Amino acid sequence: MNTSEFRRRGKEMVDYVADYMEGIEGRQVYPDVEPGYLRPLIPDSAPQEPDTFEDIINDIEKIIMPGVTHWHSPYFFAYFPTASSYPAMLADMLCGAIGCIGFSWAASPACTELETVMMDWLGKMLELPKAFLTENAGEGGGVIQGSASEATLVALLAARTKAIHRLQAASPELTQAAIMEKLVAYSSDQVVATLGTTTCCSFDNLLEVGPICNKEDMWLHVDAAYAGSAFICPEFRHLLNGVEFADSFNFNPHKWLLVNFDCSAMWVKKRSDLTGAFRLDPTYLKHSHQDSGLITDYRHWQIPLGRRFRSLKMWFVFRMYGVKGLQAYIRKHVQLSHEFESLVLQDPRFEICAEVTLGLVCFRLKGSNKVNEALLQRINSAKKIHLVPCHLRDKFVLRFAICSRTVESAHVQRAWEHIKELAADVLRAERE
Amino acid sequence: MNTSEFRRRGKEMVDYVADYMEGIEGRQVYPDVEPGYLRPLIPDSAPQEPDTFEDIINDIEKIIMPGVTHWHSPYFFAYFPTASSYPAMLADMLCGAIGCIGFSWAASPACTELETVMMDWLGKMLELPKAFLTENAGEGGGVIQGSASEATLVALLAARTKAIHRLQAASPELTQAAIMEKLVAYSSDQVVATLGTTTCCSFDNLLEVGPICNKEDMWLHVDAAYAGSAFICPEFRHLLNGVEFADSFNFNPHKWLLVNFDCSAMWVKKRSDLTGAFRLDPTYLKHSHQDSGLITDYRHWQIPLGRRFRSLKMWFVFRMYGVKGLQAYIRKHVQLSHEFESLVLQDPRFEICAEVTLGLVCFRLKGSNKVNEALLQRINSAKKIHLVPCHLRDKFVLRFAICSRTVESAHVQRAWEHIKELAADVLRAERE
């Protein structure tokens, strides 16, 4: 495919994408396919000679779309949101074209420097303590990871390296095995200190756990994968209080801040804690500025060596929405979840199972787990909306998460009417 | 930005991307900027009110491009190639629009199933042993990882879990610490068994190391991050001989197979070795098919929970190039590296430092490391081409890697003329 064909096909793809987004409400949110549906639909090996672009674009509707769960449908209320916005998609096109690998400053200075500044912008939006920022020659700084799991792993390995060095310095006679036996990682049932758990969006109290960690010289990593985006609104910022005690903090703009996956934002108070754990300096990656103290080589901050120019997505989204636009987006979702909550509360057959703080409502029919499992089964079989469950203590609970960028009150109302109808069916079937 | 504005801006961005690719040869391959150049050029925090798209697109040329190292310039011969092709970019646009997270089969069946089939397609292109494929209900299978580092980490953790289970079964009285002390990982100076090292593209002999690993019941992971793409050509396939002894194998189509970053292909002989090490099953990720044995939940195969629909890129690229087109692409690069090699060999001032097998030529001026460091410094200061060095034993060596999709014989010839001129300057300066 030469450049002039790309101009044509690229514009066709832009229209395909726009049509898809515009018409997504009309697609069934959860697919009908059974496991193994796809393999019989395509050849069992790659073609020797090229197929045409028309062949491929036709196969998208024929082969791919029937098996897609439409995460951006306004009837998708499952898991947590995954971000989608047009500015982020435009930025991703540019990112693909530049196609640089940002493992060192020299490998593409703009890729590294924009990331550092965007992480400062975002840190300021959250009112993170200055210690986490890079500007004004601080010791802290931010980095984009691929996922919260990677951020947690990076924090854990950095904490481990730091603890080992401390033990080695204090007791040089200890063997490596003896040191390993002394290492302890404390976690809640969600792994690390969590703001906004996946099950029910509950919050750990950092003001309690933080000072203890600091006193005991323990690394504190705080994960706010979903909830973090809300902290750009002053009325939710108090949920982040205590982050000043943390060594590292992470949340996912790719969930709720309109920056398409993947973009997991991680800050540390001491950059040297990361670079001490992950430093990798083969000759072919050395460059003249690297020991100047002036630059960042992000490969020392993460597990992978390669990295995309992901800060472009942040730059486009932050600028094209503005802070106020992003705040309005968060507030609209929170308002919709409270709207759903009040609908549930008006129906005496149902109960709310956890405080509704942000965009997630945990609810169930008063009664057995069995009846709630039956309700969820009916909901997901009908495929008009899509939900997933959780367990809170021993109760089987339905999660209603406000997800889509385009979800409105009307969708929430329709979803609730649908749930009520199915609930009536379930309760009738139970009585019979 | 609403959908109709996206249609317009998306098409403008397609043209911007096409213009960039078309004009890349005219851009200086390595930027002039100094560390810290970017921060003064942009505001120190995100705007409260939205900026316009025009503002942003203007800033790309003003702020971003001056700091970009142009990896796709035909004068870029540094590191290793990173893939770039129009079909992959088109697929990425679609991937961004679908925007599903593929952590389980149910989260988007097409995302999981296309990946499984594409990994079989690719495995067959490489003539991998059938044990690594999923089709015909085998025990093996492939997965797309983000990078070779992640694939290595995943293999290491799976191997560790397997070894621990074996030791626990054989000696139930052992404490965890005692087991940890018994674990051994063997590696070469490139970490794992490597086909095509980064420094000089050398090859470990799997036919020697493989049988020993099998006999000793040791996990063998083989990394062919760069070189792997070449194995789709029958004349290079022998370099992969011995992979039949491996437990896991990995290479990066995002380097040399025209599938844009990130796409690191990993196969294992036993899927259960991965899923045993990484299994994660909270209620909210359970779905009705998961224990059927019919489906794959890729979250059990990797470190992150979330994953993009990356197999679309493979599908577009394999179909729009065809196997023959991909083979022709590899062969052209190998031919260009041999062309450069023969130019070097014709000049008695220079020497070739490692066998040229694929697309990398390691060369140097006969003489001291100092003179070669001076030559590289002149090359990268002139910024007409871009190279990085390596150390082979104690020698400072220049790496000339064929990288760009659009590089032709004329670029290689011009690069060599330029290197010769600068070498003459360096040698003259040394004599004076």
Side-chain angles (χ1 to χ4, degrees), chain A residues 3 7 11 15 19 22 36 44 47 49 51 59 67 69 71 86 106-107 110 113 124 283 319 323-324 391, chain B residues 3 7 11 15 19 22 36 38 44 47 49 51 59 67 69 71 86 106-107 110 113 124 283 319 323-324 391:
Chain A
T3 306
R7 285 183 200 272
K11 289 166 193 176
D15 277 325
D19 291 343
E22 229 163 31
D44 64 3
E49 305 288 345
D51 289 344
D59 281 349
T69 304
W71 281 64
Y86 291 130
E113 297 207 5
K124 288 181 193 176
T283 306
R319 293 184 69 182
V323 175
K324 287 185 183 172
H391 275 93
Chain B
T3 307
R7 285 183 201 271
K11 289 165 192 176
D15 276 325
D19 291 343
E22 229 164 31
L38 185 137
D44 64 3
E49 306 287 346
D51 289 345
D59 281 349
T69 304
W71 282 64
Y86 291 129
E113 296 207 5
K124 288 180 193 176
T283 307
R319 293 184 67 183
V323 175
K324 288 185 183 171
H391 275 94

Side-chain angles (χ1 to χ4, degrees), chain B residues 132-181:
Chain B
F132 288 102
L133 306 185
T134 309
E135 63 171 19
N136 304 322
E139 285 183 69
V143 59
I144 304 174
Q145 303 281 359
S147 66
S149 315
E150 281 172 67
T152 303
L153 181 60
V154 163
L156 196 66
L157 293 174
R160 182 171 166 275
T161 304
K162 198 174 184 178
I164 291 172
H165 288 169
R166 198 170 58 224
L167 279 165
Q168 279 172 334
S171 317
E173 74 288 357
L174 285 177
T175 65
Q176 210 181 349
I179 288 178
M180 289 301 166
E181 279 204 288

Side-chain angles (χ1 to χ4, degrees), chain B residues 19-244:
Chain B
D19 291 343
Y20 173 69
M21 300 312 272
E22 229 164 31
I24 200 165
E25 189 168 338
R27 292 181 188 258
Q28 182 174 291
V29 60
Y30 188 80
D32 283 325
V33 298
E34 292 293 316
Y37 88 96
L38 185 137
R39 194 182 283 272
L41 299 179
I42 68 176
D44 64 3
S45 55
Q48 291 294 310
E49 306 287 346
D51 289 345
T52 66
F53 186 73
E54 282 85 358
D55 291 337
I56 296 173
I57 206 93
N58 289 335
D59 281 349
I60 294 170
E61 282 299 332
K62 221 167 65 190
I63 296 170
I64 303 300
M65 286 300 171
V68 170
T69 304
H70 299 288
W71 282 64
H72 305 292
S73 160
Y75 294 114
F76 182 93
F77 303 103
Y79 314 109
F80 268 141
T82 185
S84 173
S85 73
Y86 291 129
M89 287 188 223
L90 294 170
D92 252 351
M93 290 164 68
L94 182 62
C95 170
I98 294 177
C100 64
I101 302 296
F103 43 55
S104 69
W105 181 85
S108 219
C111 178
T112 293
E113 296 207 5
L114 187 66
E115 181 162 334
T116 305
V117 178
M118 285 304 105
M119 291 300 294
D120 275 0
W121 276 24
L122 185 55
K124 288 180 193 176
M125 279 192 239
L126 299 177
E127 294 184 26
L128 277 188
K130 280 193 173 45
F132 288 102
L133 306 185
T134 309
E135 63 171 19
N136 304 322
E139 285 183 69
V143 59
I144 304 174
Q145 303 281 359
S147 66
S149 315
E150 281 172 67
T152 303
L153 181 60
V154 163
L156 196 66
L157 293 174
R160 182 171 166 275
T161 304
K162 198 174 184 178
I164 291 172
H165 288 169
R166 198 170 58 224
L167 279 165
Q168 279 172 334
S171 317
E173 74 288 357
L174 285 177
T175 65
Q176 210 181 349
I179 288 178
M180 289 301 166
E181 279 204 288
K182 285 180 182 294
L183 298 178
V184 183
Y186 294 91
S187 71
S188 74
D189 61 355
Q190 315 288 331
V191 182
V192 287
T194 309
L195 302 178
T197 58
T198 308
T199 42
C200 62
C201 200
S202 64
F203 290 80
D204 284 331
N205 188 338
L206 297 185
L207 293 171
E208 278 179 16
V209 76
I212 297 170
C213 289
N214 284 191
K215 189 169 155 245
E216 303 292 334
D217 212 356
M218 283 169 59
W219 185 291
L220 174 62
H221 177 69
V222 175
D223 181 336
Y226 162 69
S229 299
F231 306 155
I232 65 166
C233 300
E235 66 271 33
F236 300 120
R237 173 58 178 78
H238 68 95
L239 294 166
L240 186 59
N241 286 348
V243 73
E244 57 273 20

Side-chain angles (χ1 to χ4, degrees), chain A residues 270-290:
Chain A
K270 281 202 169 179
R271 294 195 292 271
S272 56
D273 288 339
L274 293 191
T275 54
F278 297 104
R279 196 156 190 94
L280 178 73
D281 271 330
T283 306
Y284 51 83
L285 294 184
K286 289 205 162 118
H287 54 88
S288 56
H289 289 296
Q290 74 170 28

Side-chain angles (χ1 to χ4, degrees), chain A residues 17 21 27 81 90 128 162-163 255 275 335 355 359 364 367:
Chain A
V17 166
M21 299 312 271
R27 292 181 189 257
L90 293 171
L128 278 188
K162 200 175 183 177
K255 281 203 167 65
T275 54
Q335 190 192 317
E355 189 186 354
R364 69 198 300 275

Side-chain angles (χ1 to χ4, degrees), chain B residues 347-405:
Chain B
D347 189 320
R349 297 171 301 172
F350 286 89
E351 59 187 345
I352 294 289
C353 309
E355 190 187 353
V356 177
T357 314
L358 299 173
L360 176 68
V361 182
C362 289
F363 72 107
R364 69 198 300 276
L365 279 167
K366 292 171 186 167
S368 68
N369 281 352
K370 210 173 129 241
V371 74
N372 280 288
E373 285 169 22
L375 174 59
L376 184 75
Q377 210 263 322
R378 279 190 193 239
I379 291 170
N380 284 338
S381 300
K383 298 176 185 173
K384 287 194 177 174
I385 62 175
H386 189 47
L387 307 184
V388 293
C390 68
H391 275 94
L392 289 181
R393 291 176 198 96
D394 291 330
K395 286 188 171 172
F396 185 91
V397 168
L398 281 66
R399 294 170 76 267
F400 189 91
I402 304 294
C403 287
S404 165
R405 181 174 57 79

Side-chain angles (χ1 to χ4, degrees), chain A residues 6-15 17-18 85-100 260-261 308-310 312-313 316, chain B residues 1 5-21 53 57 60 65 72 84-86 88-97 260-261 308:
Chain A
F6 172 72
R7 285 183 200 272
R8 188 152 64 95
R9 299 314 189 181
K11 289 166 193 176
E12 287 173 20
M13 187 57 88
V14 166
D15 277 325
V17 166
S85 72
Y86 291 130
M89 286 188 224
L90 293 171
D92 251 351
M93 289 163 69
L94 181 62
C95 169
I98 293 177
C100 64
N260 284 39
F261 190 86
R308 300 168 74 225
F309 199 159
R310 291 177 290 198
L312 286 173
K313 291 187 288 198
F316 275 50
Chain B
M1 179 176 277
E5 195 188 349
F6 171 72
R7 285 183 201 271
R8 186 153 63 97
R9 300 314 189 181
K11 289 165 192 176
E12 287 172 19
M13 187 57 88
V14 166
D15 276 325
Y16 183 86
V17 166
D19 291 343
Y20 173 69
M21 300 312 272
F53 186 73
I57 206 93
I60 294 170
M65 286 300 171
H72 305 292
S84 173
S85 73
Y86 291 129
M89 287 188 223
L90 294 170
D92 252 351
M93 290 164 68
L94 182 62
C95 170
N260 284 38
F261 190 86
R308 299 169 75 223

